[in-house]
């Protein structure tokens, strides 16, 4: 079955399952890095919002050998799992004096999102862009967090504010709404797998005399949502660099987190870019890629550079 037939079959089969209780439709959605995905919407007659389910990934499961009925069952289960318990009150978004407390920023790749950036307020940061969202927290929307609304240029006109003010609000709100989370890679892996033991293996980018893998730290936020933007939080990198007495290499593992490495432990930094590109190609969803090279944080200047 080709992809077009798969999409048609998914819509008709899932519509039959829900009958008159929901309307099933398919929409082309542009994600981060200009990735085009097919979003299945199952709009319940009793709710004003619905989770979006991306069929592209389910088609990959079908090609890998799952039966069509199993794939469709998983789509329905995913919908039911992510369905909010009640209607979402979005009226706060039209009221600037309420919405301003929920404005946050995130980092995306500048060149890969050139078309999007013509329609959203943003600021250039090296080869990245700072863009803005309204973060849907419990008190704002009546639902759980981890949902955002991307802010477009027309929102600024509606609210009668400038991009500069948007930036000021985001600088204040983001560290509060999404507090940073900084752990060693060892702690992260052990939290996922208690029996994990860190091996002391040499690597291509470190020829330290001890032949040990250099310490690596994971910087994100407590929600693991757009956590790479934590590198912009005031004093986070400076305080951490001072704590470990080293400048830093910053490896953008995704839009949701970065890895921090002590600079003095890396004796072959040119290999870092190769590692990032390899991981991006094999391990990271295309829409979650932030960059394909490392950055540096220098304590003397307090700046992040390429």
């Amino acid at each position: 079955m080709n992809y077009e037939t798969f999409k048609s079959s998914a819509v008709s089969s899932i519509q039959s399952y829900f009958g008159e209780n929901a309307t099933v439709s398919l929409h082309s959605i542009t994600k981060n890095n200009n990735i085009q995905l097919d979003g299945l919407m199952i709009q319940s007659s009793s709710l004003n919002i619905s989770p979006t389910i991306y069929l592209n990934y389910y088609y990959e499961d079908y090609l890998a050998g799952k039966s069509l009925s199993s794939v469709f069952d998983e789509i329905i289960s995913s919908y039911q799992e992510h369905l909010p318990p009640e209607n979402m009150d979005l009226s706060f978004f039209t009221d600037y004096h309420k919405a301003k407390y929920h404005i946050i920023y995130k980092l995306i790749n500048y060149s890969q999102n050139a078309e999007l950036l013509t329609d959203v307020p943003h600021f250039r940061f090296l080869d990245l862009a700072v863009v803005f969202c309204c973060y849907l927290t419990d008190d704002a929307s009546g639902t759980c967090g981890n949902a955002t609304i991307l802010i477009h240029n027309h929102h600024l006109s509606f609210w009668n504010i400038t991009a500069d003010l948007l930036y000021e609000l985001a600088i204040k709100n983001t560290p509060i709404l999404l507090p940073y989370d900084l752990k060693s890679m060892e702690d992260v892996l052990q939290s996922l797998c208690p029996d994990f033991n860190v091996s002391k293996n040499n690597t291509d980018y470190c020829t330290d005399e001890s032949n040990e893998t250099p310490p690596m730290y994971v910087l994100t936020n407590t929600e693991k949502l757009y956590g790479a933007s934590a590198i912009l939080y005031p004093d986070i990198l400076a305080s951490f660099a001072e704590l470990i007495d080293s400048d830093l290499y910053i490896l953008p593992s995704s839009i949701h987190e970065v890895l921090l490495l002590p600079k003095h432990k890396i004796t072959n930094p040119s290999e870092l870019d190769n590692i990032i590109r390899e991981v991006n190609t094999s391990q990271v969803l295309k829409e979650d890629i932030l960059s394909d090279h490392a950055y540096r944080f220098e304590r003397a200047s307090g700046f992040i550079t390429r």
Side-chain angles (χ1 to χ4, degrees):
M1 179 183 292
N2 64 31
Y3 183 50
E4 292 303 317
T5 305
F6 174 83
K7 290 192 295 184
S8 299
S9 181
V11 172
S12 60
S13 296
I14 295 172
Q15 182 65 74
S16 296
Y17 176 86
F18 285 100
E20 297 180 354
N21 294 321
T23 301
V24 181
S25 58
L26 197 61
H27 305 271
S28 179
I29 297 175
T30 302
K31 299 284 284 182
N32 185 49
N33 293 331
N34 202 33
I35 303 300
Q36 304 293 321
L37 296 177
D38 294 300
L40 185 77
M41 304 287 290
I42 306 171
Q43 187 61 60
S44 169
S45 57
S46 59
L47 290 172
N48 64 352
I49 57 171
S50 171
T52 300
I53 299 169
Y54 297 105
L55 291 186
N56 310 70
Y57 305 121
Y58 287 97
Y59 184 62
E60 293 177 3
D61 291 341
Y62 168 72
L63 292 179
K66 283 188 178 180
S67 68
L68 204 58
S69 59
S70 295
V71 171
F72 292 165
D73 285 344
E74 288 185 10
I75 291 173
I76 293 170
S77 295
S78 178
Y79 163 77
Q80 292 171 337
E81 178 183 350
H82 295 94
L83 194 65
E86 56 188 14
N87 283 330
M88 180 183 293
D89 179 13
L90 293 176
S91 61
F92 82 97
F93 189 64
T94 61
D95 185 344
Y96 165 70
H97 295 289
K98 294 180 180 178
K100 68 179 182 179
Y101 297 108
H102 303 275
I103 292 170
I104 63 170
Y105 56 64
K106 65 177 180 178
L107 282 172
I108 62 175
N109 188 277
Y110 189 90
S111 62
Q112 293 298 316
N113 293 279
E115 183 176 351
L116 171 69
L117 293 175
T118 64
D119 193 41
V120 300
H122 66 277
F123 291 88
R124 185 77 180 259
F125 177 71
L126 301 175
D127 60 335
L128 308 176
V130 180
V131 298
F132 305 93
C133 303
C134 192
Y135 181 57
L136 305 183
T137 54
D138 292 342
D139 60 316
S141 61
T143 187
C144 52
N146 274 359
T148 60
I149 300 173
L150 183 65
I151 294 175
H152 288 70
N153 291 329
H154 68 266
H155 293 130
L156 298 190
S157 300
F158 181 80
W159 289 333
N160 193 28
I161 64 171
T162 64
D164 286 336
L165 178 55
L166 198 68
Y167 187 68
E168 291 178 13
L169 293 169
I171 288 177
K172 179 180 179 180
N173 293 337
T174 311
I176 296 174
L177 296 175
L178 298 171
Y180 81 91
D181 182 66
L182 178 57
K183 293 185 174 72
S184 70
M185 178 62 79
E186 180 179 358
D187 287 343
V188 171
L189 293 175
Q190 288 183 337
S191 68
L192 296 173
C193 180
D195 295 330
F196 175 82
N197 289 315
V198 177
S199 61
K200 303 300 185 178
N201 296 324
N202 192 22
T203 65
D204 291 336
Y205 55 86
C206 176
T207 56
D208 183 82
E209 292 180 357
S210 65
N211 287 333
E212 294 183 354
T213 300
M216 187 179 298
Y217 304 88
V218 181
L219 175 61
T220 180
N221 57 48
T222 52
E223 297 296 327
K224 311 299 187 288
L225 178 72
Y226 308 136
S229 64
I231 64 173
L232 302 179
Y233 290 8
D235 301 325
I236 294 299
L237 294 181
S239 298
F240 181 66
E242 201 63 38
L243 179 67
I244 65 172
D245 192 24
S246 175
D247 295 338
L248 304 170
Y249 279 111
I250 304 169
L251 279 60
S253 54
S254 77
I255 60 174
H256 302 297
E257 67 178 25
V258 300
L259 305 180
L260 305 179
L261 282 71
K263 185 179 177 182
H264 72 277
K265 292 285 189 178
I266 309 302
T267 55
N268 193 6
S270 62
E271 284 299 315
L272 294 176
D273 290 358
N274 294 332
I275 293 170
I276 294 169
R277 285 190 289 268
E278 181 180 345
V279 171
N280 282 345
T281 301
S282 62
Q283 304 295 327
V284 184
L285 293 175
K286 291 181 179 179
E287 61 266 32
D288 286 345
I289 293 174
L290 180 59
S291 175
D292 61 2
H293 60 82
Y295 302 87
R296 298 186 303 274
F297 175 78
E298 307 286 348
R299 286 177 293 171
S301 67
F303 292 136
I304 300 171
T305 60
R306 286 190 57 176

